[in-house]
Amino acid sequence: MKVAVVGGTGDFGLALALRLAEAGEEVVIGSRDAERADWKGAEVGVRGAANEDAVQGVDLIVLAVKAEAALPTAESLVEAIGETPVLSVASELRFTKAGVLPGENPRSIAERTQELLRAPVVAGLHSLAAASLANGRADGDALVCGDDADAKALALAVAALIVNGRALDAGPLASARALEGVTAVIVNLNKRYRGHAGVQITGLP
C-alpha cells in the first residue's frame, strides 16, 4: 500500500510514517514546506513532498495535522485529494484548569472533513500517542470508524501494522465523535499517571 501522511513532519505523523515504512509500506510525508518534508522524511527513510504532491497516486491519505489545521488543510487540498480515501486522526481538545475536555462542537473533525471532500473520510488512531509510536508498535487496540467499507478496510490495514493489539471496526463515521472524545480522556490519564495510556477492548472473539 502507498500511504501519504499529510502533516508528516509533526511528531505523530513522523512516528506513523516510520512505523509504516518499517512494516514495508511505501510512505510519503507531506508538508506545506517541501524542503522541510524532505529533511524530516530523510530522518525516517521516506520521501517528503509538498502536500499537493504527496497526495498524488497513493492508496490512502492520513490527515495528521493538528486539530486546528485539519479543516483548513483539507479544504486547501480538495482538488489534489480528489476521491482518494482519507483517514482523519485529529481530535479537538479544550485545555482547562479542571483538565482536558473534548471540543465544544458536537460534530467530529472527521465528519466536518467529510463535508469538505469528495473523497470518503474515515476516522481512527485517536487512542495512539506519538510518543508510543515513536518507540515501536503501540500497545493496545486501534479503533477505526467510517461509512465507506473500502476506505475503512484500508485504514484498518494501516492500523493493524502499528499496534500490538487489534485493529477494530468501531462503526459508522458518526462514531468519530466518541473516538475523538477518547483522546481527552487519554491525555488526562497520561498527565495524572505520567504514562502513555492506550485502549484495549475486551470481550470480543
Side-chain angles (χ1 to χ4, degrees), residues 61-97:
I61 299 163
V62 181
L63 189 59
V65 296
K66 293 182 178 180
E68 60 269 22
L71 297 177
T73 300
E75 189 169 25
S76 73
L77 294 173
V78 169
E79 295 304 320
I81 289 173
E83 297 183 359
T84 305
V86 172
L87 170 60
S88 171
V89 304
S91 299
E92 198 168 46
L93 303 175
R94 290 180 288 149
F95 293 84
T96 74
K97 291 182 179 179

Side-chain angles (χ1 to χ4, degrees), residues 19-45:
R19 296 283 79 81
L20 292 177
E22 285 184 346
E25 305 304 314
E26 185 178 353
V27 183
V28 55
I29 62 171
S31 171
R32 290 176 298 175
D33 183 338
E35 186 175 346
R36 176 173 169 78
D38 273 335
W39 167 48
K40 297 297 285 188
E43 291 183 5
V44 295

Side-chain angles (χ1 to χ4, degrees), residues 47 66 112 162 165:
R47 184 169 67 87
K66 293 182 178 180
R112 286 177 276 160
I162 62 173

